Amino acid sequence: MASISVPIGSVPGQSAPRPRLRVSDYLRWSVDHKIIGVQYMVTAAFFFIVGGTLAMLIRLELLTPNLDVVQTGSQYNTLFSVHGLVMIFLWIIPMMAGFGNYLVPLMLGAKDMAFPWLNAFAFWLIPPAGILMVGSMLVGAPEAGWTQYPPLSTLFSGDGQTLAALSVHLLGISSILGAINFLVTVKNMRPPGMSYWQMPLFVWAIVATSIIVVMATPFLAGALTLLILDRVGGTTFFDATKGGDVLLWQNVFWFYSHPAVYIMVLPGMGILSDVLSVHSRKPIFGYKMIALSSMAIGIVGFTVWAHHMFTSLQPELRIPFMITSMIIAVPTGIKIFSWLGTLWRGKIRFTSAMLFSLGFLSMFVIGGITGVMLAMIPFNLHVHDTYFVVAHLHFVLFGGSVFAIYSGVYHWFPKITGRMLDERLGRLHFALTYIGFFFTFFPMHFAGMLGMPRRVAVYMPEYQGLNATASFGSFLLGISTFLLLYNVIASLRSGRLAGANPWRALTLEWATTSPPPATNFVGDPVLFEDPYGYGTEGASDYLDAIERRFGAPSQPVVVDKPASPAAQGASGD
Amino acid sequence: MNSSNVSSRTVITLIVVGVLLIAGGFIISQATPLIFPVEASAESTQIDQLFRVALLIGGAIFLLVQGVLIYSVWRFRARPGDTTDGPPIHGSTTLEIVWTAIPAVIVMVLTILSYQVWSSIQSVKEDEQLVQVTGARFNWAFTYSTPDPRDAAAELTFKSTELHIYLGRPVLLKMQTQDVIHSFWVPALRMKQDLLPGRTTEYRFTPVAVEGETYPARYPVKCAELCGAAHGEMIAWVVVHETEADYAAWFDQEVDKVLNPPADPVLRGESILASQVYPCHTCHVLSTDTLQWDGKVGPALNGVADRAATSRANATGLAAADYLYQSIHEPGAYLVPGYSNLMPQLGIPECEAWSIVAYLCTLSDSGAPTCTVELPAQCQAAGAPPVEATAEATEAPAEAAAEATPASS
């Protein structure tokens, strides 16, 4: 229980030599969770660019009301179907798994995940799944949207639909294996002195997420199996003319896919809880409520699925799902207010990581409000399957998850690579992303309410103004991505050295060198009793001790000097 | 003393902020006419009213969160050179209860209001006008039925590509799809309902007058559920007549077309295709003086009469007319090389199908028919207008006409 809070400074002070990161280590099978974490992240980032390119083509097509960029409606349908599938299953979910893989063992002071081999196996399912997904576009239009509703997906869509379904199947397996690993790791590998209530909130979020993955993803696997059988096995599970039922798919698919929204957003909320506390130099406000609200969202999230079916479900079944969908707004609200409480009276540092977390807060709240509106059945009947929903889901998944991912990248890049990202470029990246995001997605609310359905390549000319605004916003968003990419590549070569703990954060991943040695910690990690205990003398002493023990970041003056190899030698203390 | 001063100031601040937030939310909620189409149904008025309440509350919450956020980052920004931490505050039970309870109450209120509106808009209305809706990739068809003036026991049905209704009369749509899921959405009515294979779904509304509208008013019907390549083009129109008499005039005209079709099957077939009540034009290419189809999925129909009489007849062993009839009723029985089995069963009645075949027989390169069709006897009967049928038609062409008498002035 009582963990040592001060005396690490007395540990004789030579840090372990900074391990060199070699590209070749990341291209082969490895059971080191840090390498696997980076493999996840880099793979996901690659597919983010693939999905982003598809998004750019979609917005280019929608610049005008007519079909002009692509030749046929089916091609357009393929663009947004694969865009959705890639962004969800090959970008956000694996990216969050990447953060989880890299950070959870470090935050728990462990040497690795509970099942290192399984961890590697889960990752290596992703590249073949990615190839299948990209290949699906080439062999025949998978044009049924990411939701793959039959009978469009079973009786009409091209052969690509089968490949896409197989790809998602593989990704589901990967996701389940990863989640089991997280749960066992958190259960068994916490250090002595760390109770569940002393875990960083990111770890709590990963626990909640993993429970959802383990319970929900098998349903997706079941639904996909039926879909693939209908396509290639001659079965008729979803063919109403032969005794099947199209609503079967919708029920089972959403039983997974609504919880999947929380699979994508809860880890982001975990990132936010850590980043907001560290960069406003103040304990997280209402730790237990944040942790418990993650669990509440995870549980209630299983009871709301049919709010995606308010226009297809039997009318008398719609009311209970409205009630549960309304209830889930409460724990989400608790989180937002707790984060605001964290900022209040803090000492806010406008680092890039912090800016993206603040951006998350201000954009996600819009997604939350429109979410409550969508739960209201009468209003839902109007905006269901329109651009209003497209706006809502991007405010949650881009304004939420992707902003959180960006925030996490700026926050933990120094730990992963040992070098800082360029903060000035980071701020520019934030400004472009924030403005581009807002102008891309905010006008979509109006397009939807005024009468533009989603998933259309041609639309009535009266919506062109709104669509052109959205398209120009998205081009800005596209450009902003390259700023981050450039920043990452440039900083890897010549970024300022980070030291062990550039943000003076109290969680355990910072109590070792950057990047950490193969075994993560040299000797036993020394835990501070409260992961968010900022503002106390004890915390200050602990952080000073970490700095003496593992080395301080090089000073900002050095940043612009190209002579970083020289500076490299100056690490340590 | 001092503490009571502070708390009274806090209370005043909270009241002022609260009033400002609600006022802000109210202003935002008044923007709805800009972001909605016209309110063309009784239901749309109720739904918009509900949305304005949600927008007021949502607007106030939006201003609260953004306000606190902006105030915090400005007021609590770290000053240059300040490396100290903020105060070690870990939470406040009171605050946490407050911000759990208030949202809980808000969503409860919204749930109750939504429930009330929902029960009202889907309740069964008196004297509903029933129209059957059929969705097929990628068009809509509306089927009206009325007692047959020639035979009181029989139903006379006709199809329209537009949904004709009139102000004040509640409408009940019974909807079916012939292929994939479609969703019937009229933005001006604020509602949508999916058409599900294997089921019949319902949609109720009551058209109401829109200020400044010229009648008959036309509102687009859009498909809101992804249904394939031309999903975005699956649009039809609701035509709202101002009075029952206007509606009856349209209705009588349509009934008359059924009772008195052209006697020549070729002309009948052409007029059926031109009316687009069957979605042939969405997939096939056909270029004639009157028809300009540019579908991209099925075989082109120009010259189909020649092919039916030669290569297709050889391949199937059927006479040209029989082959064409089979292609309509059992599209999968013989597939033209290079095309897959995508054409749905359209359920075209026999008389109409034979008329269409008669017309297709004339689509040869030379222009001379390669086959001819004798319409079966029962089709001929309808084609040759008996004198007494016409008389009945003017007398009771539709229930609507009969009801028009007491209602109109």
Side-chain angles (χ1 to χ4, degrees), chain A residues 245 281 311 362 382 384 451, chain B residues 66 76 78 86 192 194 199 222:
Chain A
D245 183 5
R281 311 306 307 161
T311 64
S362 81
H382 179 47
H384 177 81
Chain B
Q66 306 291 0
F76 305 115
K192 66 173 67 70
D194 290 6
R199 285 168 214 231
K222 297 177 185 178

Side-chain angles (χ1 to χ4, degrees), chain A residues 367-388:
Chain A
I369 291 168
T370 54
V372 171
M373 290 172 172
L374 280 166
M376 299 163 60
I377 299 174
F379 180 65
N380 183 288
L381 295 185
H382 179 47
V383 293
H384 177 81
D385 261 327
T386 69
Y387 261 87
F388 189 89

Side-chain angles (χ1 to χ4, degrees), chain A residues 71-74 77 80-81 143-145 147 149-152 155-156 240 245-248 250 280-287 289 310-316 318-319 322-323 326-327 329-330 333-334 336-338 340-341 343-350 358 361-363 365-366 369 372-373 375-386 388 434 446-460 462-463 504 530 532-536 539-540 543, chain B residues 33-37 46-48 50-51 53-59 61-66 68-69 71-79 82-93 95-97 99-101 103-108 110-119 121-122 137 178-181 183 185-199 201 220-233 235 237 296 341-344:
Chain A
Q71 255 86 54
T72 67
S74 292
N77 292 353
F80 68 72
S81 301
E143 55 165 332
T147 52
Y149 276 14
L152 183 62
L155 301 178
F156 292 88
D245 183 5
V246 292
L247 286 189
L248 171 65
Q250 296 186 16
S280 58
R281 311 306 307 161
K282 200 167 149 275
I284 192 82
F285 196 96
Y287 171 96
M289 285 297 265
F310 279 162
T311 64
S312 57
L313 198 67
Q314 298 92 304
E316 56 276 18
R318 297 177 192 177
I319 297 295
M322 168 166 73
I323 296 171
M326 287 284 188
I327 291 172
V330 176
I334 291 172
I336 289 180
F337 293 123
S338 301
L340 289 177
L343 296 176
W344 196 264
R345 297 187 61 197
K347 299 270 174 117
I348 297 169
R349 315 270 154 90
F350 295 104
L358 295 171
L361 252 178
S362 81
M363 290 296 108
V365 72
I366 297 177
I369 291 168
V372 171
M373 290 172 172
M376 299 163 60
I377 299 174
F379 180 65
N380 183 288
L381 295 185
H382 179 47
V383 293
H384 177 81
D385 261 327
T386 69
F388 189 89
Y434 192 81
F446 303 129
M449 285 190 283
L450 285 169
M452 182 168 164
R454 67 192 286 200
R455 296 168 169 163
V456 295
V458 297
Y459 54 85
M460 292 184 167
E462 65 212 71
Y463 309 121
R504 291 178 66 80
D530 175 358
Y532 302 105
Y534 301 102
T536 59
S540 192
L543 292 169
Chain B
L34 297 174
I35 51 180
F36 278 132
Q46 287 175 284
I47 292 172
D48 287 9
L50 175 69
F51 179 69
V53 175
L55 198 55
L56 191 159
I57 297 171
I61 293 172
F62 172 79
L63 293 175
L64 171 72
V65 173
Q66 306 291 0
V68 172
L69 189 61
Y71 178 78
S72 304
V73 297
W74 170 77
R75 174 76 175 71
F76 305 115
R77 67 192 189 280
R79 307 305 197 277
D82 183 356
T83 55
T84 59
D85 288 358
I89 306 166
H90 283 84
S92 150
T93 313
L95 266 180
E96 284 165 36
I97 290 172
W99 66 47
T100 309
V105 171
I106 289 175
V107 297
M108 213 163 72
L110 289 176
T111 307
I112 293 169
L113 292 177
S114 301
Y115 178 74
Q116 286 172 341
V117 173
W118 162 246
S119 329
I121 61 180
Q122 68 141 10
R137 307 195 330 156
Q178 292 184 336
D179 37 53
V180 299
I181 303 173
S183 190
W185 181 36
V186 184
L189 305 177
R190 304 289 187 282
M191 284 191 287
K192 66 173 67 70
Q193 167 63 47
D194 290 6
L195 287 69
L196 301 165
R199 285 168 214 231
T201 52
V221 177
K222 297 177 185 178
C223 179
E225 183 62 63
L226 176 62
C227 58
H231 165 55
E233 291 146 81
I235 289 173
W237 295 87
K296 295 184 179 71
N341 189 10
L342 288 176
M343 183 168 150

Side-chain angles (χ1 to χ4, degrees), chain A residues 199-342:
Chain A
M199 297 192 306
L201 285 166
F202 177 75
V203 178
W204 265 108
I206 289 289
V207 169
T209 307
S210 300
I211 292 173
I212 302 174
V213 170
V214 169
M215 285 170 63
T217 314
F219 286 85
L220 176 69
L224 286 169
T225 304
L226 299 186
L227 183 86
I228 293 168
L229 281 174
D230 262 19
R231 287 191 58 86
V232 303
T235 58
T236 56
F237 295 108
F238 304 122
D239 186 349
T241 62
K242 295 178 181 138
D245 183 5
V246 292
L247 286 189
L248 171 65
W249 168 266
Q250 296 186 16
N251 276 300
V252 183
F253 176 80
W254 286 114
F255 191 81
Y256 162 78
S257 291
H258 192 80
V261 175
Y262 303 115
I263 292 174
M264 288 183 271
V265 89
L266 281 177
M269 292 174 157
I271 291 174
L272 212 65
S273 300
D274 272 32
V275 169
L276 285 175
S277 177
V278 170
H279 296 264
S280 58
R281 311 306 307 161
K282 200 167 149 275
I284 192 82
F285 196 96
Y287 171 96
K288 276 199 180 178
M289 285 297 265
I290 293 184
L292 290 176
S293 64
S294 292
M295 302 306 279
I297 289 173
I299 293 161
V300 182
F302 275 98
T303 66
V304 304
W305 79 90
H307 69 212
H308 295 271
M309 302 164 60
F310 279 162
T311 64
S312 57
L313 198 67
Q314 298 92 304
E316 56 276 18
L317 278 179
R318 297 177 192 177
I319 297 295
F321 290 99
M322 168 166 73
I323 296 171
T324 51
S325 307
M326 287 284 188
I327 291 172
I328 208 161
V330 176
T332 313
I334 291 172
K335 280 186 192 287
I336 289 180
F337 293 123
S338 301
W339 290 326
L340 289 177
T342 306

Side-chain angles (χ1 to χ4, degrees), chain B residues 123-202:
Chain B
S123 62
V124 178
K125 314 293 188 300
E126 267 177 45
D127 187 30
E128 288 169 331
Q129 177 188 1
L130 176 68
V131 182
Q132 311 278 346
V133 179
T134 313
R137 307 195 330 156
F138 299 95
N139 80 338
W140 300 98
F142 303 93
T143 309
Y144 291 78
S145 47
T146 179
D148 192 329
R150 296 159 305 187
D151 175 6
E155 284 269 288
L156 182 153
T157 62
F158 65 87
K159 282 192 179 202
S160 165
T161 54
E162 295 174 332
L163 174 61
H164 286 255
I165 51 177
Y166 58 95
L167 290 178
R169 174 87 187 267
V171 180
L172 167 62
L173 304 180
K174 295 219 177 210
M175 312 197 289
Q176 287 182 321
T177 170
Q178 292 184 336
D179 37 53
V180 299
I181 303 173
H182 301 281
S183 190
F184 183 88
W185 181 36
V186 184
L189 305 177
R190 304 289 187 282
M191 284 191 287
K192 66 173 67 70
Q193 167 63 47
D194 290 6
L195 287 69
L196 301 165
R199 285 168 214 231
T200 304
T201 52
E202 296 181 347

